[in-house]
């Protein structure tokens, strides 16, 4: 299953190597949220599930670009990417306001769970559980939302 493979590569191989300056938001959805996300490349007849990675870099643009290349994130499952953008925003608020979730209120959630990656975190198992759960629902508002901080904060070795 390509969704499990891609999410597993992200959580197991790339995420643990993030420099301190990065914070990423991982979102898994069964499909783009109706009326809120305009993704013309998503074909609901042939595609199932959507993984979105949005990163914020606290530093200069050139360093952010270099670290993305070094980590291999821009190449992550490239044959299945619908979009890969690298943008420069002047503030967290400017970035948030430019996203679909900053423009349209997200309906109230009815379930939320929180956990932290622990020593010996298993990104492959998380990918399987998260992708399987999202793809098992026909509710387009169901989602998995994860926040990954870079460097020492996300290290599972200590």
């Amino acid at each position: 299953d390509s969704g499990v493979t891609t999410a597993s590569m992200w959580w197991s191989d790339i995420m643990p190597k993030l420099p301190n300056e990065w914070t990423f938001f991982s979102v898994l959805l069964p499909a783009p949220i109706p009326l809120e996300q305009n993704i013309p490349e998503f074909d609901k007849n042939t595609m199932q599930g959507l993984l979105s990675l949005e990163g914020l870099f606290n530093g200069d643009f050139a360093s952010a670009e270099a670290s993305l290349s070094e980590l291999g994130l821009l190449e992550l499952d490239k044959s299945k990417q619908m979009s890969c953008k690298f943008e420069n925003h002047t503030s967290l608020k400017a970035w948030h306001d430019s996203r679909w979730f900053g423009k349209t209120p997200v309906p109230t959630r009815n379930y939320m769970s929180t956990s932290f990656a622990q020593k010996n975190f298993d990104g492959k198992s998380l990918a399987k559980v998260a992708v399987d759960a999202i793809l098992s629902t026909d509710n387009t508002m169901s989602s998995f939302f994860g926040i990954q901080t870079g460097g020492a904060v996300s290290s599972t070795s200590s």
Side-chain angles (χ1 to χ4, degrees), residues 17 23-24 32-33 35 53-54 66 78 82 89 92 98 118 127 129 131 134 137 141 147 151:
K17 298 173 188 164
T23 298
F24 268 89
I33 296 173
L35 305 174
L53 300 174
E54 296 247 359
K78 189 139 180 108
M82 290 187 288
H89 294 278
L92 177 62
S98 74
Q118 303 295 319
V129 168
V131 170
I134 292 302
T137 181
M141 291 305 299
I147 301 172

Side-chain angles (χ1 to χ4, degrees), residues 44-151:
K44 67 180 181 180
N45 297 316
T46 62
M47 296 177 176
Q48 185 183 25
L50 179 69
L51 169 63
S52 173
L53 300 174
E54 296 247 359
L56 297 171
F57 188 82
N58 187 12
D60 65 274
F61 192 74
S63 296
E65 193 169 32
S67 71
L68 284 179
S69 295
E70 186 177 306
L71 290 169
L73 186 58
L74 300 177
E75 300 299 318
L76 178 64
D77 217 353
K78 189 139 180 108
S79 67
K80 295 181 179 71
Q81 286 183 13
M82 290 187 288
S83 176
C84 185
K85 300 176 194 171
F86 192 66
E87 303 171 332
N88 191 8
H89 294 278
T90 57
S91 69
L92 177 62
K93 181 170 179 6
W95 167 79
H96 187 271
D97 290 348
S98 74
R99 299 333 242 195
W100 62 269
F101 48 79
K103 296 174 184 170
T104 306
V106 176
T108 304
R109 63 182 166 260
N110 58 18
Y111 178 79
M112 187 173 99
S113 177
T114 302
S115 65
F116 294 93
Q118 303 295 319
K119 187 174 183 177
N120 301 317
F121 167 72
D122 185 353
K124 292 179 179 162
S125 294
L126 173 61
K128 176 85 173 119
V129 168
V131 170
D132 286 353
I134 292 302
L135 295 182
S136 69
T137 181
D138 58 359
N139 179 352
T140 58
M141 291 305 299
S142 292
S143 66
F144 171 91
F145 181 81
I147 301 172
Q148 296 80 39
T149 54

Side-chain angles (χ1 to χ4, degrees), residues 2 6 14 49 84 92 133 151 153:
S2 68
T6 304
I14 297 173
C84 185
L92 177 62
V153 176

Side-chain angles (χ1 to χ4, degrees), residues 17-33:
K17 298 173 188 164
L18 291 172
N20 289 338
E21 295 85 2
W22 276 111
T23 298
F24 268 89
F25 303 91
S26 304
V27 182
L28 289 170
L29 298 162
I33 296 173

